[in-house]
Amino acid sequence: MPSGNPLSIFKRRYDHLPANQQTNWWVIAGVAALLLLLLLGLWVYLLYQAREKPYIELKGYRVATPASFSAFLSSGANRREFEQFERFLESAGVADATEPANLLRQGSDWLDINEPPFAIPPRKYWPNMVATLKLIRDELVPSIGPVDIVSAFRTETYNRKAGGSETSKHQSFCGVDLVPRANISRRELIEELRSLHARLGPDSKMGLGIYSGVRFHVDTCGFRRW
């Protein structure tokens, strides 16, 4: 019965193999080692990408990751303020219109202008978003399907550095920039949005802006279109 450590046992068995089987063993071992190296390389690459990219892409636009939002909540009084903001949305009946965290996204270019990706609007502006969220939930989503917010409230500094208008409705927390989740064409999107804007009319106070790609803006602070 063979004795010794596993390595010596393996060596004795290997030495008794025919030459062609020894060659096959080395080929198999080499392929296995190569696969392990590839898997290790992929894991390192994904880890690097996750650390280097603090964002996810929505239709080509960058929004900060949930981990970035968690870090934001851990700073100062942000968590307490956010919890109060959530309660406000619930009391106003619009908590189901979107994830509350999405309304704190300043924009998709925060990395380029070196500004925080999130900001909590002053409480005096919170009521401004209620009608906009109702419009999104009750009119917009039934027309074009679910949407994602890429920009909501912006601080004055963020808005200026991003090249926004001095009268931007983002600063008063009335407007949002959106992208559709569905693979709707730009042409179809524009037709649906313009039809919706015309149907709702001045009574809705709906502002509609259409940008490049499938990004668009809506607010309820003045009936207009651009």
Side-chain angles (χ1 to χ4, degrees):
M1 187 172 182
S3 60
N5 59 50
L7 183 60
S8 62
I9 294 173
F10 169 79
K11 186 177 184 307
R12 283 196 295 271
R13 290 181 176 176
Y14 174 79
D15 290 340
H16 284 82
L17 291 174
N20 63 329
Q21 291 188 22
Q22 290 182 358
T23 300
N24 290 341
W25 186 92
W26 282 111
V27 170
I28 294 172
V31 171
L34 181 60
L35 288 175
L36 286 174
L37 285 174
L38 288 174
L39 288 173
L40 178 61
L42 178 61
W43 178 79
V44 171
Y45 172 77
L46 293 175
L47 181 63
Y48 174 79
Q49 290 290 90
R51 289 181 177 177
E52 288 297 306
K53 292 185 177 181
Y55 61 85
I56 56 177
E57 291 193 3
L58 298 176
K59 300 292 184 178
Y61 296 100
R62 299 180 299 187
V63 297
T65 61
S68 298
F69 184 68
S70 295
F72 170 78
L73 291 183
S74 299
S75 176
N78 288 343
R79 187 177 302 279
R80 183 173 66 252
E81 282 287 308
F82 180 65
E83 290 173 351
Q84 293 173 354
F85 176 62
E86 288 182 304
R87 287 195 289 271
F88 167 80
L89 294 177
E90 291 174 359
S91 66
V94 292
D96 60 339
T98 186
E99 289 292 329
N102 298 344
L103 294 168
L104 273 55
R105 291 173 177 165
Q106 294 209 74
S108 57
D109 49 2
W110 86 97
L111 288 172
D112 301 323
I113 62 176
N114 194 30
E115 281 293 306
F118 302 103
I120 299 177
R123 297 190 188 194
K124 65 180 180 179
Y125 292 149
W126 292 0
N128 296 346
M129 183 54 62
V130 174
T132 301
L133 289 176
K134 288 181 178 179
L135 183 147
I136 292 171
R137 180 192 62 195
D138 302 337
E139 302 289 351
L140 185 62
V141 171
S143 295
I144 67 169
V147 292
D148 284 312
I149 295 174
V150 295
S151 177
F153 174 68
R154 296 178 191 164
T155 64
E156 181 180 349
T157 301
Y158 188 104
N159 189 66
R160 183 182 70 252
K161 293 172 71 172
S165 167
E166 292 183 359
T167 59
S168 171
K169 303 306 179 183
H170 290 277
Q171 294 182 98
S172 58
F173 198 44
C174 185
V176 293
D177 287 359
L178 305 156
V179 292
R181 292 181 186 173
N183 292 323
I184 184 173
S185 69
R186 173 177 168 81
R187 179 177 179 179
E188 183 180 359
L189 176 66
I190 292 175
E191 290 177 354
E192 291 290 342
L193 291 175
R194 288 179 175 174
S195 174
L196 178 66
H197 187 257
R199 176 169 61 81
L200 295 179
D203 291 341
S204 69
K205 297 182 181 180
M206 177 184 178
L208 171 65
I210 300 174
Y211 303 127
S212 61
V214 291
R215 180 169 177 161
F216 63 98
H217 169 103
V218 296
D219 63 59
T220 50
C221 291
F223 184 71
R224 67 214 187 282
R225 196 182 80 190
W226 68 94

